[in-house]
Amino acid sequence: HAKRRGGNGYQFFNESMNQSAVRRLKLENQLRQALRDGHVEVHYQPKLALKDRQFVGLEALARLNIPGVGMINPVDFIPLAEETGLIIELGERVLQQACRDMKQWVEQGLVSGRVAVNLSARQFMQPDLSARVTRILNAEGMAPEHLELEITEGVLMEDPERAIEIMTDLQTKGIDLALDDFGTGYSSLAYLKRFPIQTLKIDKAFINDISQAERDRKMVASIIAMAHNLGLHVVAEGVENKDQLTILSTLNCEYAQGFLFAKPLPASELLQRLAIRVVPESTPESA
Ligand code: C2E
Ligand code: MG
Ligand code: MG
Ligand code: MG
């Protein structure tokens, strides 16, 4: 290969490195294009209260809808968006769309509670984050009481003092904060006490084997108990079956999200689902 390329610097790249660089570049172009052409979409996954299985809120999840390619999922583009700095623009698009949709759904009486939007570390640490969020809320006419922001443990470890400042600022404005993917990072629950958050989301990795593995069950049990002792709400992520649900209920977990209830859905499909719940079904008994 080196010879074919005339012995220039390319000789240091083997074919697979070259392929991954090409893939990366292609994806970066797709991401820029999606931002330019308005092809960033937001899907929504319902969050349920375990006590009565009622919808209590939504999580907004980014998707790229690339013409001729289809949907690209966040696992593929979020890391690249972070590296390139495009995450700032992407994150604000998602926040804006989520606020726009949520405002409408609240007004129509279809949804109550909060819409949760994920923030990357880079986005969260922007000096003017709070002002940016406020600007978007104002522009969309959305009450901060219907917004929740999800951050990950990494954010808290990087610069704890600064993180506390930002979080306090957001809270003063009425925005709730949730700690996402809990258990995958390095922070302890004791450490968490310092941070003004309302909710802990237990990562799917802990929920997966909860019905077979005693160890995992005990781990989740103590996370839930300690979170409650700290006055935090708990959400279980990635609930896929009834056994997991039953165990989470016994462990007093309050909320859950997962494919068992619903996958993340485009706004139109979500509304169809919600409409089924607000319009009472005529059952054979009542007909
Ligand atoms: P996350 O915030 O922890 O979101 C949960 C992820 O788990 C979502 O993947 C969701 O589709 C998936 N999930 C939910 N229930 C189940 C289940 O029962 N089984 C399985 N197998 N998966 C389930 P998604 O949408 O691919 O997003 C992946 C991650 O990308 C998110 O994890 C979040 O960290 C990041 N992300 C998504 N949208 C945004 C965004 O707008 N901004 C930023 N900064 N990050 C985002
Ligand atoms: Mg999340
Ligand atoms: Mg998560
Ligand atoms: Mg995640």
Side-chain angles (χ1 to χ4, degrees):
H1 293 272
K3 253 188 210 148
R4 236 196 288 152
R5 288 188 180 120
N8 62 23
Y10 285 109
Q11 69 202 12
F12 297 110
F13 286 92
N14 63 36
E15 203 52 45
S16 80
M17 283 165 82
N18 196 25
Q19 268 173 22
S20 84
V22 168
R23 241 196 324 268
R24 204 193 119 97
L25 201 62
K26 192 173 157 196
L27 186 62
E28 185 176 336
N29 282 332
Q30 287 173 326
L31 182 56
R32 288 186 192 278
Q33 217 165 36
L35 286 166
R36 193 193 59 212
D37 301 342
H39 290 149
V40 176
E41 293 188 5
V42 183
H43 286 191
Y44 296 94
Q45 186 178 40
K47 179 166 86 180
L48 283 93
L50 292 189
K51 63 171 190 312
D52 53 11
R53 311 279 160 91
Q54 290 294 309
F55 286 143
V56 292
L58 300 165
E59 178 172 4
L61 295 153
R63 301 286 183 268
L64 300 187
N65 192 355
I66 309 293
V69 175
M71 286 295 180
I72 305 184
N73 279 339
V75 271
D76 295 314
F77 65 82
I78 292 287
L80 186 73
E82 277 170 359
E83 282 170 46
T84 53
L86 291 169
I87 190 72
I88 305 286
E89 199 184 334
L90 180 91
E92 291 199 355
R93 292 287 182 86
V94 173
L95 179 62
Q96 186 181 40
Q97 189 64 49
C99 288
R100 187 170 298 174
D101 289 340
M102 186 66 176
K103 178 206 151 83
Q104 209 185 342
W105 297 337
V106 169
E107 274 176 6
Q108 292 168 345
L110 292 171
V111 181
S112 56
R114 295 182 188 248
V115 65
V117 177
N118 294 280
L119 292 191
S120 80
R122 193 155 172 178
Q123 202 183 355
F124 184 77
M125 284 303 190
Q126 291 176 101
D128 56 346
L129 175 79
S130 175
R132 282 167 175 265
V133 173
T134 302
R135 204 182 310 138
I136 292 172
L137 284 171
N138 289 341
E140 300 303 330
M142 231 273 284
E145 287 71 23
H146 289 299
L147 179 65
E148 181 175 10
L149 296 174
E150 297 191 2
I151 55 174
T152 50
E153 291 167 78
V155 166
L156 310 182
M157 312 292 283
E158 249 172 59
D159 187 349
E161 298 315 318
R162 170 115 192 82
I164 290 172
E165 239 175 74
I166 301 171
M167 294 165 96
T168 308
D169 196 357
L170 292 166
Q171 282 208 336
T172 310
K173 292 179 167 155
I175 298 164
D176 268 6
L177 292 163
L179 192 63
D180 204 356
D181 303 345
F182 184 77
T184 58
Y186 298 99
S187 60
S188 69
L189 275 160
Y191 181 80
L192 276 190
K193 206 170 57 172
R194 301 178 54 203
F195 297 95
I197 55 168
Q198 283 71 44
T199 303
L200 203 83
K201 300 187 78 171
I202 305 177
D203 196 78
K204 180 178 189 305
F206 291 92
I207 308 301
N208 281 340
D209 299 325
I210 197 181
S211 50
Q212 303 100 286
E214 167 107 38
R215 263 184 79 88
D216 290 30
R217 193 156 54 241
K218 283 185 170 164
M219 187 97 95
V220 171
S222 45
I223 292 174
I224 293 170
M226 284 175 76
H228 285 164
N229 283 337
L230 291 173
L232 302 174
H233 300 293
V234 180
V235 181
E237 293 193 289
V239 178
E240 292 182 344
N241 61 58
K242 288 197 170 140
D243 291 343
Q244 292 169 329
L245 183 64
T246 308
I247 291 165
L248 288 165
S249 294
T250 8
L251 299 179
N252 292 321
C253 181
E254 299 149 274
Y255 306 108
Q257 281 176 247
F259 294 175
L260 176 64
F261 311 110
K263 290 192 171 184
L265 301 163
S268 57
E269 275 179 54
L270 177 82
L271 288 189
Q272 283 173 8
R273 287 280 202 104
L274 295 176
I276 293 169
R277 298 187 70 91
V278 288
V279 180
E281 284 175 83
S282 62
T283 60
E285 287 80 22
S286 66

